[in-house]
Structures are given as C-alpha cells and as structure tokens.
Amino acid sequence: PAGFSITPGNIRLDSPNISPPATTEGQLVEITAIVSNDGNRPLIDVKVRAYDGDQANGGVQIGEDVYISIIYPKESRTVKFIWDTFGFGGTNNIYVIVDPLNAIEETIESDNSAMITVVITPPLKPDPAVTDTDILLSKGTVNEGETVVLSAKIKNRGTDVSDVPVSLYMGDPKNGGILMESRIIRPIIPLHGE
C-alpha cells in the first residue's frame, strides 16, 4: 500500500517596524511587518493582527485584520497597519501576529508574532481638530428657508489651548467657500479634551 504524508506548512512573522520612529502623541503611525511562507504549499486567507499590548493580557487591537489572499511557498509579503497614537502617550509594546486564531497547521508556532517597543512622546503644541463625525445638524432633511442648528465638537489632540478661532463656511474655504460665521472658543481645552 502506498501512503502519502503532508508536511505542515510554516508561516513566520519578522521585522516589525514603526514609521516615523520618533512619534508624538496624536500622529498617525505606520506599523509594518514581513510575513513569510516557509512551507511547501500555498497558504490562503492568512490573517494578521496588530495590538497595543499582549493580546492574551488585554491588548487593544490596532485597526482591522489584514488578510493576505494567497502567499506561495518561499514568498514574503509586507503587511501594514495605520495607528492613531492619540491617547496612547508613553511606552507601548506593539505586537504583530500572523495566524492569531491558529487556523494554519504549522511545524513552528513560536515564530508567529513579534513585538516592538514604541515610546510616544507628549505633544509639543496645541492641535485643535474637528472631523466629519464631530459635526451634527438638528435636522437630517431641510427645506429651503428652514432654520437648522449646526453643532461641532472641537477636540484637542495637543497641549492645552484656549482662544481657538472656529469658522463655518458654506463650501470649501480654499475654493471660494462663503464664510457664514466665526467664533472664538475662550475656555481652555486640555489634551484629550473637547
């Protein structure tokens, strides 16, 4: 009788990197790592995750899962995550993990993760910000001539700030938008405040 055996594959993660390496709280940071297929068969739908802290001890997932649709034997791929460092000042241990659910049968499991320590320094200047999700209208649908109340949440991603000028434009101010109203926010908005 003829017998066949299939050797389990091996997926490996190396070279975690942070860019920029000197990071100030509130910056967007790119986290990269290299995933390699050391086995002798293609691997499909390989999942990769990044965490701030050890996932087994309450680490917080960074971004969404990254999927590699197929990685052939002896092939390597670079994966990338974008991390908003706002609220993560201080020392952070960033873990990148390939096959976090152990879905791939492997010869070696100990090479599926890597860790890099990142020190996020406090911001050096104020950074007031507003995003699309911070702007609310009192009504979703408005007829011409109706009054609408617009409210905006101004967040501070930097050092304490006061006397923040805020302007409301109809249209893009860089492309001929019309100034509707301007105000000054007098109270101090601390780091992480709004």
Side-chain angles (χ1 to χ4, degrees):
F4 294 96
S5 67
I6 298 175
T7 305
N10 190 59
I11 193 89
R12 175 173 46 89
L13 191 128
D14 295 300
S15 308
N17 190 42
I18 301 287
S19 179
T23 303
T24 302
E25 184 177 349
Q27 277 185 296
L28 293 178
V29 171
E30 183 178 89
I31 301 167
T32 58
I34 298 172
V35 176
S36 301
N37 181 354
D38 292 340
N40 55 10
R41 61 187 167 93
L43 298 172
I44 297 169
D45 292 331
V46 177
K47 183 184 291 188
V48 187
R49 285 184 183 159
Y51 288 89
D52 179 18
D54 184 356
Q55 72 167 358
N57 294 311
V60 177
Q61 186 170 350
I62 297 170
E64 300 292 322
D65 291 347
V66 171
Y67 289 91
I68 301 171
S69 57
I70 188 165
I71 184 166
Y72 292 99
K74 312 307 177 208
E75 183 179 31
S76 295
R77 298 278 185 90
T78 299
V79 293
K80 177 173 71 171
F81 299 87
I82 300 298
W83 179 35
D84 185 349
T85 61
F86 182 66
F88 292 95
T91 301
N92 297 266
N93 292 322
I94 304 302
Y95 291 79
V96 183
I97 303 164
V98 63
D99 190 29
L101 304 176
N102 294 317
I104 300 169
E105 186 180 348
E106 299 182 69
T107 54
I108 303 169
E109 293 284 350
S110 61
D111 60 358
N112 284 15
S113 67
M115 189 268 293
I116 186 169
T117 299
V118 182
V119 177
I120 308 293
T121 59
L124 302 174
K125 59 184 180 179
D127 187 12
V130 63
T131 64
D132 293 348
T133 58
D134 296 324
I135 300 171
L136 300 172
L137 295 175
S138 59
K139 294 181 178 180
T141 305
V142 181
N143 295 318
E144 187 175 341
E146 282 187 282
T147 299
V148 177
V149 176
L150 179 137
S151 60
K153 194 180 295 184
I154 311 299
K155 297 177 182 173
N156 184 15
R157 300 171 60 96
T159 58
D160 294 357
V161 64
S162 64
D163 298 327
V164 177
V166 177
S167 298
L168 171 66
Y169 285 85
M170 182 177 294
D172 184 349
K174 295 176 185 171
N175 292 317
I178 300 168
L179 177 65
M180 304 294 288
E181 187 174 344
S182 288
R183 291 191 182 179
I184 302 288
I185 299 175
R186 300 266 178 224
I188 293 175
I189 306 174
L191 171 64
H192 304 260
E194 50 186 59

